[in-house]
Amino acid sequence: MVRHVLLPVDGSPQSVEALRFAASEWGDARIPLLHVIDPVNGSRASAVPMGSEEWYDASRERAKELFADAREILPPDATVETRTEVGRPAATIIDVASEGEVDHVVLGSHGREGIPRIVLGSVAEAVVRRSPVPVTIARKEMDAGDGVSSA
């Protein structure tokens, strides 16, 4: 029985699909929402150059917005917790899942293939390969519908 579903959120359509899927499957589970602030992508996060403190503050505010949006998708009576961490997304998701309270991870995947996947890497693939708990990948294909797969 799934009781604690970790849901990493980034605001992408794939992340929203993962939220919808988790809500439909495990709406009565405790749902820790996780947003990972990736410092590697910090310089690309804004067209306006800013210092590291301003960037971090803006990233934390963005996390609060993502959590508020996620709560609107989840059932109103869902037990939701929020957590913001700084680090590489895949490694951070795996670290949080390894802490012992989570028994399932649901995350979205962009479904990239070929060169973009090699160059950009795959957070979902890394989490599937290294997670200590089962992982469900929700993928919203931009022009062909949507799909969900488990690993």
Side-chain angles (χ1 to χ4, degrees), residues 6-130:
L6 177 63
L7 280 164
V9 295
D10 64 6
S12 69
Q14 295 80 10
S15 175
V16 171
E17 187 65 25
L19 283 163
R20 287 187 178 127
F21 178 76
S24 71
E25 290 293 312
W26 301 293
D28 58 342
R30 191 176 96 201
I31 301 176
L33 299 173
L34 172 67
H35 179 68
V36 181
I37 299 172
D38 186 354
V40 173
N41 292 330
S43 61
R44 295 179 281 192
S46 172
V48 178
M50 59 173 95
S52 61
E53 190 172 322
E54 292 86 4
W55 169 80
Y56 179 72
D57 290 343
S59 297
R60 299 239 349 136
E61 285 304 312
R62 173 75 175 132
K64 289 178 186 177
E65 293 169 10
L66 292 171
F67 294 147
D69 292 346
R71 287 177 193 262
E72 291 180 17
I73 294 169
L74 296 169
D77 59 340
T79 304
V80 178
E81 302 163 3
T82 61
R83 181 170 175 174
T84 303
E85 296 288 337
V86 176
R88 298 294 300 203
T92 304
I93 294 165
I94 292 162
D95 288 347
V96 171
S98 298
E99 290 176 357
E101 293 188 13
V102 171
D103 42 36
H104 203 97
V105 177
V106 178
L107 71 157
S109 173
H110 292 276
R112 293 184 182 106
E113 295 179 356
I115 298 298
R117 180 177 176 175
I118 293 168
V119 172
L120 299 174
S122 173
V123 170
E125 181 179 2
V127 172
V128 166
R129 289 184 185 275
R130 297 178 30 216

